[in-house]
Amino acid sequence: MLRMEKAILMYLVLQLCLSWTSNSYCAAQTQTDKAQEKGTFEICSSFASLNPRIAFHACVAGEKVLKPPLDPIVYDNVVLNNADGYNKATGVFSCTIPGVYVFTYSLLPAKDSTDTLLWLKKNGDKVNYIHSISTAGNAQTASLNAVLHLKAGDKVWVQLQQGGPWTGSNSLCFQGYQLFTD
């Protein structure tokens, strides 16, 4: 009886190992090879896999006057930049690991701006926009999300097309993170 239980246990362990190694998140490559290819990783010990942790959060630092057209807006106060996908010199997020990403951007028009428009762009194509129309002196804040499938090399940024945003107190921000890999 003990011999049969041992055989069943060995069979189950083998099946579990095979299912883990056939999982697309598990890899036969070493951690060093993967890290050199893709950047920052966290080892998931239960599956011996490598899970990317890509996220960024950046705002325009201080009170600045941004004049349209500004393509892209440079968010120079980087709060978080795991895996260094966001470039604070250019204002552009560059994808290194294909997958689905979530992006959020915000707008609070300046006091004297009555018609302000921001676009989220992917590889130069317009994805969605925030358009704030109000009377001078009134505050109207907005933020918008986008869920995008990106390939390695794809680029995402925010464009100021018209009007003028207020940039004080970290009010003009751009964030993104990877939801899952391909």
Side-chain angles (χ1 to χ4, degrees), residues 71 75 101-107 116-131 142-148 156-161 174-175:
D71 191 15
Y75 298 86
Y101 289 76
V102 177
F103 294 94
T104 303
Y105 60 111
S106 62
L107 169 66
T116 306
L117 178 62
L118 297 181
W119 280 99
L120 182 69
K121 296 176 101 177
K122 174 186 168 188
N123 298 327
D125 296 328
K126 295 175 177 177
V127 175
N128 61 22
Y129 67 95
I130 299 173
H131 192 184
S143 66
L144 193 58
N145 298 325
V147 179
L148 302 174
V156 178
W157 67 88
V158 178
Q159 173 197 11
L160 172 61
Q161 182 173 320
F174 179 36
Q175 304 92 19

Side-chain angles (χ1 to χ4, degrees), residues 46-82:
S46 63
F47 293 101
S49 66
L50 302 171
N51 296 320
R53 299 291 183 234
I54 300 173
F56 74 94
H57 176 104
C59 301
V60 174
E63 291 192 37
K64 297 178 178 148
V65 176
L66 303 180
K67 298 285 185 187
L70 187 56
D71 191 15
I73 295 173
V74 176
Y75 298 86
D76 54 348
N77 177 23
V78 178
V79 179
L80 174 73
N81 196 10
N82 286 356

Side-chain angles (χ1 to χ4, degrees), residues 128-176:
N128 61 22
Y129 67 95
I130 299 173
H131 192 184
S132 175
I133 301 173
S134 65
T135 56
N138 289 324
Q140 180 180 8
T141 186
S143 66
L144 193 58
N145 298 325
V147 179
L148 302 174
H149 182 265
L150 300 180
K151 299 178 298 212
D154 283 347
K155 299 187 180 318
V156 178
W157 67 88
V158 178
Q159 173 197 11
L160 172 61
Q161 182 173 320
Q162 66 190 44
W166 185 61
T167 64
S169 301
N170 290 327
S171 62
L172 187 63
C173 298
F174 179 36
Q175 304 92 19

